[in-house]
Amino acid sequence: MRDYLSPTFRSGAFSCPHCGVYSQQTWGTLAWQNELGDEIYDWEASLCQHCKKFSLWIKEQLFFPVNGLVPPPHPDMPEDIKEDYNEASKIVQISPRGAAALLRLCVEKLCKSLGKDKMDINDAIKALVNEGLPEIVQQALDSLRVIGNQAVHAGKIDLKDDKDTAQSLFHLLNYVVEDRITRNNLVNKLYSSLPESIRDSINKRNGVA
């Protein structure tokens, strides 16, 4: 999964909110007239040199596209989880709490896709840990679980105006997908490419019928 550098106002390069490619950006100021004929210059646009699409900024804040401040969903993310991820990306600027709650739902669905479909999210993470889940992945899952839960309940974590924390959760979810799905798919694909006789020999060594 490629690194994603979130767009920042007047930066010369960042990951384009349209195509996701890290690319040089050129900037220009947009002017408009109010009903008194006064020209207003608080709109700016950045042009991606890769896809040639514009992003619109108002008072130094990214206004369009609405999902531009977070990375796209990991290509190996299950489709039903991608839907919730994309919905969260569209509201993170106006409702960090709502985005965090949706990402918690993504974790719940991800745990089910990993074979823990009859457990609540806390027990599912515990079961994955017992099966050898790396500590760093456990910490990512629990961060998503706890922050997403407290975002909609009274707690010690207040995401009402904390966009940075909410945005970081998108990176965490992509990281978990990379570790739990992408790497396993790669290993399974390579192992399956071994000649059947060799795999039979390995299974015999391991006492697998």
Side-chain angles (χ1 to χ4, degrees):
M1 183 70 177
R2 62 182 178 273
D3 292 333
Y4 188 86
L5 182 62
S6 183
T8 54
F9 183 69
R10 279 290 180 181
S11 175
F14 48 70
S15 297
C16 173
H18 291 284
C19 66
V21 173
Y22 179 80
S23 176
Q24 181 182 357
Q25 305 287 324
T26 55
W27 290 80
T29 300
L30 305 178
W32 60 281
Q33 285 187 335
N34 62 18
E35 64 275 9
L36 300 177
D38 300 321
E39 291 190 342
I40 310 298
Y41 292 95
D42 57 357
W43 292 21
E44 296 200 37
S46 56
L47 174 64
C48 173
Q49 294 304 303
H50 180 263
C51 69
K52 303 302 182 183
K53 291 184 178 180
F54 285 99
S55 298
L56 180 62
W57 301 71
I58 299 179
K59 295 184 178 180
E60 301 186 5
Q61 299 296 317
L62 182 63
F63 179 78
F64 174 81
V66 293
N67 61 338
L69 292 178
V70 299
H74 195 290
D76 290 333
M77 187 179 291
E79 290 301 320
D80 62 328
I81 301 178
K82 280 184 182 180
E83 293 179 5
D84 294 325
Y85 183 102
N86 287 329
E87 182 178 347
S89 73
K90 293 176 181 178
I91 66 171
V92 66
Q93 294 191 72
I94 59 174
S95 179
R97 293 188 300 172
L102 279 169
L103 292 179
R104 184 187 184 279
L105 176 61
C106 290
V107 172
E108 184 176 347
K109 290 183 177 181
L110 182 59
C111 287
K112 290 180 179 180
S113 74
L114 296 174
K116 311 305 174 190
D117 55 337
K118 296 182 180 180
M119 301 179 179
D120 66 37
I121 187 172
N122 192 47
D123 289 338
I125 295 174
K126 178 182 178 180
L128 290 170
V129 169
N130 291 336
E131 294 174 1
L133 184 74
E135 182 179 5
I136 190 67
V137 182
Q138 167 260 307
Q139 292 175 354
L141 287 171
D142 276 321
S143 296
L144 286 155
R145 175 183 66 86
V146 172
I147 295 174
N149 183 60
Q150 295 207 0
V152 292
H153 297 92
K156 296 180 180 180
I157 301 174
D158 184 6
L159 287 184
K160 187 174 182 180
D161 297 310
D162 192 353
K163 296 178 183 178
D164 290 340
T165 296
Q167 290 169 19
S168 69
L169 297 179
F170 291 86
H171 294 268
L172 287 187
L173 186 60
N174 277 334
Y175 172 77
V176 174
V177 171
E178 175 77 21
D179 183 271
R180 293 291 89 192
I181 297 179
T182 303
R183 292 180 181 178
N184 287 343
N185 288 347
L186 176 61
V187 172
N188 290 335
K189 181 179 180 180
L190 290 174
Y191 187 77
S192 298
S193 69
L194 298 176
E196 184 177 359
S197 60
I198 293 178
R199 285 185 279 122
D200 288 342
S201 177
I202 294 173
N203 288 335
K204 183 178 180 180
R205 179 202 66 190
N206 295 338
V208 179

